[in-house]
Amino acid sequence: HVDVNDATLTISPAGEFKLGEDDNGRATIMRTNGGIVNGELTREIHLAAMPNRDMALVEQRITTGLEGVTVEDFVGDIPTWGFVGADVPSGFSNIGYWSATANWNYATIANATDTLPVFEGIYLALNTAESYTLTFSGTLPTEDINVEVP
């Protein structure tokens, strides 16, 4: 956990600031008392993909927490199908995200160039394997948001 408290953290374009994870969970950045984070961050998420029963696919749900992340950031890290630019372009998209306006509240991906939402849950259908590691980059949202829960 990093707390940028009444300070500015600038990440050099030539450098890398990676948010990983360990047994305590995924790394986070808090901006308190006007704290500012400038530059691009890299997030690394480990996804378990071993089912607990006989299943062909494993489902995972994540959020990126970063602006500017596109689906093509996931291509190569996980098997992809069902959209232009996927490993296998045919079939139903194995990547989607929650949307109040989409059919069954699930927006599907049409193209690897689609930008993923920052805070909405992203759905991943994965082939079974020991695990996958997603690595993607983006910037922190410019401001905090308030989410109303009904």
Side-chain angles (χ1 to χ4, degrees), residues 39-119:
E40 192 170 83
L41 302 155
T42 299
R43 176 167 290 287
E44 185 175 86
I45 297 177
H46 301 285
L47 302 168
M50 288 299 295
N52 59 6
R53 60 183 187 267
D54 187 24
M55 298 182 68
L57 297 174
V58 174
E59 297 177 358
Q60 286 278 3
R61 285 166 178 76
I62 64 165
T63 58
T64 64
L66 300 175
E67 293 181 342
V69 178
T70 63
V71 175
E72 62 192 342
D73 292 319
F74 292 7
V75 175
D77 288 349
I78 61 172
T80 56
W81 60 85
F83 54 88
V84 175
D87 301 319
V88 178
S90 61
F92 188 78
S93 175
N94 72 314
I95 301 174
Y97 57 90
W98 186 88
S99 171
T101 60
N103 288 339
W104 302 292
N105 297 87
Y106 175 81
T108 57
I109 299 301
N111 196 303
T113 60
D114 289 357
T115 300
L116 292 166
V118 177
F119 298 110

Side-chain angles (χ1 to χ4, degrees), residues 2 4 7-17 29-31 34-42 66-67 138-143:
V2 176
V4 181
T8 298
L9 171 64
T10 300
I11 302 160
S12 168
E16 180 180 61
F17 191 100
I29 291 186
M30 296 291 295
R31 297 172 293 187
I36 299 169
V37 177
N38 295 317
E40 192 170 83
L41 302 155
T42 299
L66 300 175
E67 293 181 342
T139 57
L140 285 177
T142 53
E143 59 186 45

